[in-house]
Amino acid sequence: MSVIVNGIEQFDRGDFHFVAGCTAPAAVNHVRNEHTLGHMHIHNWYELSTVLDGSGRYEYQGMTYTLNPGDTFIIPPGVPHHYLEQRNLSLLNFIWYPEELPVSPEELNRIPGYRAFFDLEPQSRSVFRFECRLVLMPEQSAAMQIFYRRIESELKNRAEGYQLAVGLIFTEMLVTVSRFYNDTSHAVSRSGNDLQKIGDVLSYLDANYMHHVSRARAAKIHGSSETTFSRSFKRIMSESFFDYLLNLRLRHARDLLRGGDMSISEIARACGFCDSNYLCYRFRRKFGIPPHQYRLSARKDDL
């Protein structure tokens, strides 16, 4: 069960299974009790919250935001948060572990709107002050309630195959929310539109990091000049375009070192580096260890 550390209640996987009543990959929870909502807490799962009724204030990373019906937002793992000044606040919570869903993150990232809403919006709240949140229309809110009831029914009845059914329904909900965000982000605010454009650039990089990627091409996808794009990218991602691309390539190189027998030269080519020497130089600067030593260490850890 949960523990209190420095005044913050912390929830773990056991608490997740308690909410779900089983080991399903996702769960739902309708919270409307001020005692439940009113204390600082933290959890190691992802949470999507949508406001059904009432109003209140939401504290996240030391900043507070006003909540009203329709407001829908993501709470990533490891971030302390709680609700203040509640006035009959009623929330639907969808909670999940991405690695347990029957779909890969790579597939989800290809859906327009997914990257912007699930990844970029939470990390850019200090920049945009929550104005890029998703605000559901009444019919969209009704659709979320239908997803909630379908998942709740599967968790309650536990018919044969219910865990897979929960994962599939939840994945469908993620796709639907991504579409909601993609359809509205361009119209809601200029900032939301920018998040969507940066999300498109990130999806392009995921698919093409192994090739030559120019800032000019990324700026064209963003729909702006190279200068405007570079400024926007760094504002949202907190690192430059080229630093992000380099780190993306290094992460893929690290994964290949752990999971296969490709040579360093082959990994360099597969990850977009000009040669193995440059990969070794950048890898050591990033991770503090040469690639071949990292491979040996990773294999010992696996054993």
Side-chain angles (χ1 to χ4, degrees), residues 84-236:
L84 309 163
E85 303 173 20
Q86 301 167 50
R87 296 180 179 85
N88 300 314
L89 188 61
S90 173
L91 301 171
L92 289 185
N93 283 344
F94 299 81
I95 61 178
W96 75 102
Y97 287 104
E99 67 275 11
E100 296 185 7
L101 295 177
V103 62
S104 70
E106 291 76 20
E107 290 179 279
L108 291 171
N109 282 335
R110 287 196 287 269
I111 302 169
Y114 182 88
R115 199 72 171 266
F117 180 65
F118 287 90
D119 291 338
L120 299 183
E121 192 282 323
Q123 76 181 45
S124 65
R125 284 177 193 161
S126 61
V127 176
F128 297 123
R129 294 197 59 83
F130 211 43
E131 73 173 52
C132 298
R133 69 191 183 281
L134 175 61
V135 181
L136 298 178
M137 302 296 289
E139 62 273 17
Q140 295 172 329
S141 182
M144 296 298 290
Q145 294 178 63
I146 292 173
F147 281 120
Y148 180 95
R149 289 193 293 271
R150 290 174 63 194
I151 294 171
E152 184 182 48
S153 176
E154 289 289 345
L155 293 174
K156 180 180 179 180
N157 296 326
R158 300 193 189 185
E160 186 175 351
Y162 78 95
Q163 291 168 309
L164 176 59
V166 167
L168 293 173
I169 296 168
F170 194 87
T171 300
E172 182 185 355
M173 186 271 294
L174 295 182
V175 173
T176 299
V177 170
S178 300
R179 290 172 176 172
F180 287 163
Y181 195 77
N182 185 59
D183 292 343
T184 61
S185 62
H186 300 282
V188 169
S189 70
R190 184 175 180 179
S191 300
N193 190 9
D194 204 25
L195 282 188
Q196 182 59 59
K197 290 179 178 179
I198 294 297
D200 293 341
V201 172
L202 297 185
S203 296
Y204 171 77
L205 295 181
D206 285 341
N208 294 278
Y209 67 88
M210 69 293 294
H211 306 302
H212 172 70
V213 177
S214 69
R215 185 174 61 177
R217 173 60 178 159
K220 185 175 181 180
I221 294 171
H222 187 259
S224 65
S225 68
E226 291 187 43
T227 301
T228 299
F229 163 69
S230 296
R231 184 167 56 246
S232 176
F233 192 95
K234 188 165 187 177
R235 185 185 185 198
I236 292 172

Side-chain angles (χ1 to χ4, degrees), residues 2 10 28 58 62-63 80 83 86 104 112 122 125 149 162 167 196 199 257 266 271 300:
S2 64
Q10 301 191 5
V28 292
Y58 168 59
M63 305 181 74
Y83 299 88
Q86 301 167 50
S104 70
R125 284 177 193 161
R149 289 193 293 271
Y162 78 95
Q196 182 59 59
L257 287 165
E266 289 172 331
C271 295
K300 289 180 181 178

Side-chain angles (χ1 to χ4, degrees), residues 254-264 266-267 289 291-303:
R254 181 183 59 187
D255 292 342
L256 290 175
L257 287 165
R258 288 191 67 97
D261 296 317
M262 294 173 65
S263 69
I264 304 299
E266 289 172 331
I267 291 174
I289 184 173
H292 67 280
Q293 289 186 15
Y294 177 84
R295 168 174 274 169
L296 291 174
S297 176
R299 287 177 175 174
K300 289 180 181 178
D301 290 343
D302 292 340
L303 290 174

